[in-house]
Amino acid sequence: MILLTGGTGYIGSHIAVELLQAGHEVVILDDLSNSNESVIGRIKNITQRDVLFYHGDIRDVSLLDSIFQNHLIESVIHCAGLKAVGESVKNPLAYYDVNVYGSICLCSAMQKAGVKRLLFSSSATVYGVDAEPPYIETMARGVSSSPYGTSKGMVEQLLEDLSASDPQWSVGLLRYFNPIGAHPSGYIGELPQGTPNNLMPYISQVAAGTLPELSIYGDDYATDDGTCVRDYLHVVDLAIGHRVALKVLDSPGVHCYNLGAGSGISVKQMVDAFVASTGVEVPHRYAPRREGDLAAFWASASKVERDLGWRPVKTLEDMMIDTWRWQQFSNKA
C-alpha cells in the first residue's frame, strides 16, 4: 500500500491514477488547499477502483501516526507542498513551513512507523541560478532563485542526511520543471483555486474567457523570441515516471533522477502551439519580468531512460489538446 501526499492535486491525482491502474493500493492525504475533494470521485471513475482519502495536513503529526497505524503502508510518494515561484518570493515563511517542516513531520512519522521507502517529488530548480542547461543529476545543488526552489533543496538535503544516518532508508529524488496537459479522459487536470500561478492553466482560462488576457512576463530575455524557455512535460508522462521510479526504492540509499523532455519551449511558442492545436485564440500582452524567473532551463533525462526505461511519449500537441479538453470539462462541472 502506498501513501500519496498531495494526492488530490494536479500532479498527485495523475500519479494516483497510474498507481491504481498498475494494481497498487493507494491512501491519499491532502489538505485541499489547492484542490477539491471531487477529484477522488473522478479518480475512481477513471480507474474503476477505490482509493482511501484523508483530508488533513502533513504537519498534523497525530493524523500521520493514525494513518500509519491503521494501514500497512509500504512506501510513500510525497507530493504535498506549495509550488508557486512568485508566491514564494512574497511569502517565504509559508513555503518553509509547509514544504520543509511538513516534510520533517512526514519523515518523523515514517521513521516512527518503520516505513523507510520515500519517493520525493522535487524540482529541477534545485540546480540553481548559475547552472548551465541541460541539467544533469551529477551537478551540485546551487543557489535557487526563489524560496520555493530553496525549500525543495532543503528537503533533498534532509532526505540525504536521513539516509546517511540510517542505511535502511531508500529515497528517490525526482526533479522536474513544468508539467502541463491533463488526463486524456478529461476528468482530471490542473484547476488552481483563484488566479493561476502557472502558464498552461492561465492560457486555457483566457481561451475559455474566464480571464481577459494572458500576461507574458518579459520579452527581453536572451532567448530566440525573448520569452522564458522551460522544460514542459505532459503530466501523464510525469505520473508514469513516478510509478516507474518506485522500483529504485528496492535498493537502499538516495537515487536521483530528472524527469523532463530534454529540451526547452518558450512561453510564446506555448501560446502559438495552443492556438494551432485548438483553433482558439489567446489574447495576450507583454509585462515586466517577474522576480525569481530565469531565462531558460531544461534537464537531461538520459539517466532515467538508461536506468529505468522511462522517456516522455506525449507530444506538445497532446499537451494542448488534453489541456483544452480538461478546461471545457471543468467549465461544465
Side-chain angles (χ1 to χ4, degrees):
M1 181 172 283
I2 296 171
L3 172 62
L4 175 59
T5 71
T8 60
Y10 174 45
I11 297 169
S13 61
H14 288 82
I15 294 173
V17 167
E18 290 300 324
L19 293 175
L20 290 165
Q21 289 181 330
H24 295 285
E25 299 292 331
V26 178
V27 177
I28 288 176
L29 171 64
D30 202 301
D31 67 356
L32 303 179
S33 61
N34 197 33
S35 59
N36 191 287
E37 190 170 349
S38 64
V39 171
I40 296 296
R42 296 174 190 174
I43 292 171
K44 292 179 180 179
N45 285 340
I46 294 170
T47 64
Q48 296 299 301
R49 294 196 58 201
D50 287 331
V51 57
L52 295 172
F53 172 64
Y54 285 87
H55 179 195
D57 196 302
I58 56 169
R59 294 167 295 181
D60 186 340
V61 176
S62 61
L63 174 59
L64 288 171
D65 288 342
S66 175
I67 291 173
F68 284 108
Q69 289 169 5
N70 293 329
H71 305 286
L72 295 176
I73 305 296
E74 297 176 349
S75 304
V76 177
I77 299 180
H78 181 26
C79 295
L82 302 177
K83 63 176 185 176
V85 169
E87 182 185 60
S88 76
V89 174
K90 296 177 181 178
N91 191 6
L93 287 179
Y95 275 70
Y96 293 122
D97 185 21
V98 174
N99 294 1
V100 181
Y101 176 64
S103 298
I104 292 173
C105 293
L106 175 64
C107 290
S108 296
M110 291 177 64
Q111 185 160 261
K112 183 178 179 181
V115 178
K116 300 180 180 181
R117 294 163 53 96
L118 175 64
L119 202 60
F120 177 50
S121 198
S122 187
S123 168
T125 57
V126 301
Y127 290 109
V129 297
D130 297 321
E132 291 290 332
Y135 301 160
I136 58 175
E137 293 86 348
T138 53
M139 289 179 172
R141 282 189 296 270
V143 177
S144 174
S145 63
S146 69
Y148 162 74
T150 302
S151 73
K152 288 291 190 178
M154 292 173 71
V155 176
E156 285 196 4
Q157 185 65 60
L158 158 70
L159 295 174
E160 289 172 0
D161 292 343
L162 187 58
S163 175
S165 72
D166 183 349
Q168 291 185 334
W169 276 88
S170 299
V171 174
L173 306 177
L174 301 184
R175 297 171 174 171
Y176 55 92
F177 284 119
N178 298 81
I180 61 174
H183 194 271
S185 67
Y187 290 156
I188 56 173
E190 186 171 14
L191 187 63
Q193 297 180 3
T195 303
N197 288 304
N198 296 326
L199 176 63
M200 202 64 235
Y202 213 112
I203 289 175
S204 64
Q205 288 190 28
V206 169
T210 305
L211 296 172
E213 65 178 3
L214 169 72
S215 294
I216 298 178
Y217 296 102
D219 62 351
D220 58 350
Y221 286 97
T223 60
D224 288 344
D225 60 22
T227 65
C228 289
V229 171
R230 298 290 183 264
D231 190 329
Y232 292 98
L233 176 69
H234 198 294
V235 67
V236 172
D237 281 330
L238 179 62
I240 293 171
H242 280 72
R243 172 177 58 78
V244 170
L246 280 171
K247 68 180 68 173
V248 306
L249 302 183
D250 293 336
S251 301
V254 178
H255 314 273
C256 182
Y257 290 99
N258 293 331
L259 297 179
S263 60
I265 305 171
S266 76
V267 174
K268 182 63 166 60
Q269 288 173 323
M270 291 287 288
V271 175
D272 292 344
F274 184 89
V275 175
S277 298
T278 65
V280 182
E281 292 297 324
V282 180
H284 59 275
R285 66 178 179 87
Y286 291 99
R289 296 184 182 191
R290 289 185 305 187
E291 186 177 0
D293 277 344
L294 300 180
F297 43 72
W298 61 92
S300 168
S302 58
K303 180 185 176 185
V304 69
E305 182 173 7
R306 182 181 66 248
D307 291 358
L308 303 179
W310 176 92
R311 62 181 178 86
V313 297
K314 298 282 189 177
T315 66
L316 182 58
E317 184 179 17
D318 292 331
M319 301 177 201
M320 300 302 158
I321 292 174
D322 290 343
T323 296
W324 186 231
R325 183 185 298 112
W326 157 246
Q327 181 67 55
Q328 293 173 301
F329 171 83
S330 62
N331 284 349
K332 299 174 183 177

